[in-house]
Amino acid sequence: MNIYVACGLTHVPRGIFDRYVSFIHQIALSLRSISGVNTVKYALVDSDPQLATEKKDNQARLCYQWDRQMVEGANLIVADASYPSTGRNRSHPPLLSSNDALANSR
């Protein structure tokens, strides 16, 4: 089985960014330990570092292309939507989210 771990990093508060990244790495590590799992891919390892070596003009296109390839190659997608990057105005977050900021914004 091939797994893709999806997450949004754009809106993660800077003060917890490192902790959140560790959380995503831990999810991937846990998934790798499951019998029958062949690959676990996610942007933090499988595209973000590579994007840093590309020209700025190409980064958005490549980010989309590489993420899409990882999604299409997956049999299972595990998504953390705590800080979704939906393209919406940050003052109007989506209704479905598990992050504390959304719960406290009411």
Side-chain angles (χ1 to χ4, degrees), residues 24-44:
I24 299 300
H25 285 307
Q26 186 58 49
I27 290 172
L29 184 64
S30 296
L31 291 169
R32 282 189 182 103
S33 70
I34 298 171
S35 177
V37 171
N38 298 319
T39 63
V40 176
K41 293 189 176 186
Y42 57 114
L44 283 166

Side-chain angles (χ1 to χ4, degrees), residues 1 3 10-11 19 35 41-42 68 70 75 77 79 81 93 100 106:
M1 177 184 318
I3 301 174
T10 304
H11 299 299
R19 195 169 34 156
S35 177
K41 293 189 176 186
Y42 57 114
R68 182 175 176 148
M70 287 187 282
N75 305 104
I77 298 170
D100 293 336
R106 296 177 190 198

Side-chain angles (χ1 to χ4, degrees), residues 74-85:
N75 305 104
L76 175 69
I77 298 170
V78 175
D80 177 73
S82 296
Y83 302 97
S85 297

